[in-house]
Amino acid sequence: MDPRERPFGRRRLGVILVSDPSPLLRAAMLLSREGAEVGTSPVLDAPLHRAWDSRLAWTLREVPATLKDFARAAMP
């Protein structure tokens, strides 16, 4: 079977995520878990990424959310 194919003949979906860098890891993980081939492209000039206080706040928000999603993925 072609590795790009999924059961029942469905092909894998290729996705490129373009976003502020903060949520990219978690979004890529969630899409990958659903069977998509994921690439990322961070927007380093995004308003939320430019200001250090905003970047810190979003990073602090993403860390526990990412850990929660990793824990959910590990559960049967």
Side-chain angles (χ1 to χ4, degrees):
M1 178 195 293
D2 184 345
R4 293 173 295 177
E5 302 228 340
R6 297 187 69 192
F8 310 110
R10 295 183 298 164
R11 293 182 61 82
R12 288 186 67 143
L13 177 64
V15 178
I16 298 176
L17 293 171
V18 179
S19 178
D20 182 88
S22 299
L24 278 179
L25 171 65
R26 190 163 62 103
M29 178 190 67
L30 293 171
L31 282 170
S32 161
R33 194 167 60 198
E34 294 300 320
E37 293 180 16
V38 181
T40 59
S41 180
V43 179
L44 300 177
D45 198 32
L48 291 176
H49 185 71
R50 283 185 281 162
W52 71 267
D53 56 339
S54 178
R55 188 183 321 174
L56 176 63
W58 277 97
T59 300
L60 292 175
R61 179 203 176 282
E62 285 297 317
V63 168
T66 302
L67 292 174
K68 178 189 74 169
D69 287 334
F70 273 121
R72 280 188 182 166
M75 294 189 322

